[in-house]
Amino acid sequence: MKIIRSHLGIKLFLSYFVVIVVGMSVIGIITKITTPAAFQRHLQYMEDQLSTGQGMMGQGMGLGQGQGQGLGAGQGGGMMSEYYQNFQQSFNESLLISVVAASLVALIVSFIFSRSILEPVSVMKNASQRIAEGHYDERVPLKGDDELNQLAGSFNQMAEQLEQVETMRRRLIGDVAHELRTPLTAIKGTAEALMDGVLPASDETYLQIHAEAERLSRLVDDLQELSRVESRATQLKIHPADSTALIQTVSKRLQHQFDEKRVTLTPSLPHDPILVLADEDRIIQVLTNLIGNALQYTPENGTVSVSIERDKNEARISVRDTGFGIPAEYLKHIFDRFYRVDKSRSRAHGGSGIGLTIAKHLVEAHGGKIWAESAGENKGSVFTFTLPLAKL
């Protein structure tokens, strides 16, 4: 029974087989019931005809014996022919009644089976129309394990993903509007203060406006980059690359910022190069984001270390800091767009809140994984990602 319930083809075959068996059974039963009555009726009709024929024979007894014998022989042959015709008519009558009854029963059985099979399709049709109208919470109930119910399960999964996409779209619009509003409000307020004479037309005022405009420009650039990586429109030039050299390049670029903030940057690299399959520019972008993010959330006199090691067929790169840490409940959202553990601190440093999201998509485009770990608040954090090793 479990195999039957989990395969639509077997259900259809059995439904057709049941309809045929039911039709044949009805024909047999109806024929058995109606044939005796029909045969009796036709037999009675034949006996009435014979009785009438015998009366006519009595009136013609004066004819010659040879003629009477010829008539008797002819009458006997006519009786057998008429007997067969009446039997044939009685059988055809019973068969016609049986076929009509069997057709009606088969029609009813087919309707019942078809309705039970097509009901999930009709439910999915109505649900799809509801989703098309914007009701993304619509779901199809599951009642088995056959192909239609598997399709219903896939339909529910699609509906859930559409609901998540719609939720993310709405949140993205709200987040973008909020992020754009902050620098625009600062620029507008400074410009109005200049026009009203509240602020002097000094270099400091113009630098403040320029800084907010630059921040706005960075946000727009990040949004464009996020759009490209999420739509997989970014073309990667993947080839064997020395991961240790990439880490050294990023460390040299960011060393000045670490010195200004008095945070120690410690690359922990092996002596031998570790070759990975990667787009060098994109991995530098990922490393810059992770190391810069660690610097941003590490206080003065803190430490940020970068390490790399081989792990089977991949290289594992980790960025560890002694900064503010990440509470456990926030770890699963750390790569979401515009998500911040501490929004006010991030804005003070000019972060857009989508750098980690971009890094996640870039790493996954290389066939790697990225994740975050933290022992808790004020206990630092570790961001780790993997890249496939290049085969020599």
Side-chain angles (χ1 to χ4, degrees):
M1 288 299 294
K2 185 176 181 181
I3 296 177
I4 295 175
R5 292 176 179 175
S6 61
H7 291 84
L8 180 61
I10 297 179
K11 283 185 176 181
L12 291 174
F13 171 78
L14 290 179
S15 66
Y16 296 148
F17 181 75
V18 169
V19 170
I20 293 173
V21 171
V22 169
M24 293 175 62
S25 301
V26 171
I27 289 177
I29 295 172
I30 298 299
T31 301
K32 186 175 181 180
I33 294 174
T34 59
T35 297
F39 180 72
Q40 185 66 31
R41 186 169 59 256
H42 285 281
L43 186 61
Q44 183 65 41
Y45 174 76
M46 187 180 70
E47 289 177 352
D48 293 342
Q49 292 294 323
L50 287 175
S51 298
T52 304
Q54 287 178 357
M56 294 177 63
M57 283 178 59
Q59 295 176 0
M61 288 297 292
L63 297 176
Q65 185 176 5
Q67 184 179 359
Q69 290 175 352
L71 180 62
Q75 184 180 4
M79 285 175 57
M80 293 302 296
S81 176
E82 187 174 0
Y83 179 84
Y84 175 76
Q85 290 178 359
N86 279 279
F87 175 77
Q88 185 71 33
Q89 290 176 359
S90 64
F91 179 77
N92 291 340
E93 181 180 338
S94 299
L95 185 61
L96 178 62
I97 296 173
S98 300
V99 169
V100 172
S103 299
L104 291 175
V105 173
L107 183 64
I108 295 173
V109 174
S110 299
F111 175 77
I112 294 174
F113 275 101
S114 300
R115 185 175 181 182
S116 63
I117 293 174
L118 294 177
E119 182 181 2
V121 178
S122 178
V123 172
M124 279 189 283
K125 176 186 175 183
N126 296 331
S128 63
Q129 291 177 346
R130 291 272 298 168
I131 290 176
E133 294 171 357
H135 302 281
Y136 296 101
D137 58 342
E138 191 73 20
R139 297 294 183 271
V140 177
L142 303 179
K143 300 179 180 178
D145 298 323
D146 59 13
E147 286 85 350
L148 283 177
N149 281 278
Q150 292 174 10
L151 178 61
S154 300
F155 181 91
N156 289 340
Q157 184 178 3
M158 179 197 68
E160 184 177 354
Q161 291 178 350
L162 286 175
E163 185 178 13
Q164 291 176 356
V165 169
E166 178 63 16
T167 301
M168 292 175 64
R169 184 187 68 83
R170 293 176 180 176
R171 189 175 66 184
L172 176 62
I173 292 174
D175 289 339
V176 169
H178 183 74
E179 294 297 327
L180 292 175
R181 186 183 298 113
T182 303
L184 287 175
T185 300
I187 293 174
K188 181 180 177 181
T190 305
E192 290 177 350
L194 280 172
M195 290 185 294
D196 295 339
V198 177
L199 287 177
S202 60
D203 292 340
E204 182 181 356
T205 303
Y206 293 130
L207 286 174
Q208 183 179 355
I209 295 176
H210 182 269
E212 293 297 334
E214 187 68 22
R215 178 181 175 186
L216 189 61
S217 177
R218 288 198 304 270
L219 176 60
V220 172
D221 291 340
D222 287 343
L223 288 172
Q224 289 179 336
E225 180 68 17
L226 178 63
S227 176
R228 284 194 294 267
V229 297
E230 286 190 333
S231 62
R232 299 184 184 275
T234 303
Q235 298 295 327
L236 299 179
K237 299 178 181 179
I238 296 179
H239 58 83
D242 185 359
S243 56
T244 56
L246 298 179
I247 295 174
Q248 290 174 344
T249 299
V250 176
S251 300
K252 290 178 181 179
R253 290 182 182 179
L254 298 178
Q255 187 61 56
H256 179 68
Q257 298 180 26
F258 275 84
D259 293 340
E260 284 187 340
K261 194 176 179 180
R262 297 181 182 179
V263 174
T264 303
L265 176 59
T266 306
S268 179
L269 306 177
H271 296 291
D272 298 328
I274 299 178
L275 297 180
V276 295
L277 292 175
D279 183 325
E280 294 185 7
D281 292 337
R282 294 302 181 179
I283 296 304
I284 286 177
Q285 182 179 356
V286 172
L287 287 170
T288 302
N289 185 289
L290 294 180
I291 298 175
N293 192 70
L295 172 64
Q296 181 178 344
Y297 289 99
T298 301
E300 186 177 340
N301 298 323
T303 301
V304 175
S305 61
V306 185
S307 62
I308 182 172
E309 60 181 358
R310 297 176 185 269
D311 184 13
K312 297 181 181 180
N313 297 323
E314 60 187 16
R316 178 174 296 185
I317 303 172
S318 300
V319 178
R320 184 183 302 272
D321 64 66
T322 59
F324 301 112
I326 306 171
E329 62 270 20
Y330 298 143
L331 281 173
K332 61 181 179 180
H333 300 293
I334 200 66
F335 294 101
D336 293 349
R337 287 175 294 206
F338 296 104
Y339 188 83
R340 295 189 181 97
V341 177
D342 189 336
K343 296 179 174 58
S344 60
R345 185 185 298 132
S346 181
R347 282 198 183 90
H349 288 75
S352 63
I354 58 178
L356 290 177
T357 308
I358 295 174
K360 178 177 182 292
H361 283 284
L362 288 176
V363 169
E364 291 177 349
H366 282 78
K369 296 180 294 183
I370 186 171
W371 65 93
E373 298 173 296
S374 179
E377 193 170 357
N378 296 321
K379 294 183 179 180
S381 58
V382 183
F383 285 83
T384 306
F385 69 96
T386 62
L387 292 173
L389 288 174
K391 295 182 180 180
L392 299 178

